[in-house]
Amino acid sequence: MITGRCPICDRKFSGASLQELPQHPFCSEKCRLIDLGRWLGERYRMPADDAGAATVDELDGEPPFS
Ligand SMILES: [Zn+2]
């Protein structure tokens, strides 16, 4: 039994296994896409013409992709 709470809409969900929850850790495909959209929005807002000043890892703690 797997239970969780959607980080987008805060709704609780549960299922017998991860196979039953393809959208885990979200409650639905819709919330999964909302989260994806937010994540991409953060990426696109990164200043592309200012790479020398503050690095991406300093801003969000994630390693660079290249
Ligand atoms: Zn949700």
Side-chain angles (χ1 to χ4, degrees):
M1 186 67 158
I2 293 172
T3 60
R5 179 180 288 179
C6 178
I8 301 300
C9 68
D10 212 35
R11 182 162 47 180
K12 289 182 180 178
F13 59 83
S14 63
S17 68
L18 278 179
Q19 275 87 28
E20 285 189 16
L21 300 168
Q23 68 282 355
H24 186 275
F26 307 102
C27 72
S28 64
E29 179 74 9
K30 181 182 170 187
C31 284
R32 195 179 69 81
L33 290 176
I34 289 173
D35 183 76
L36 181 66
R38 286 181 182 176
W39 190 87
L40 290 175
E42 295 285 323
R43 282 286 153 193
Y44 290 146
R45 255 186 275 127
M46 291 294 174
D49 58 344
D50 201 26
T55 61
V56 172
D57 2 46
E58 284 172 350
L59 289 175
D60 65 6
E62 292 178 17
F65 276 91
S66 56

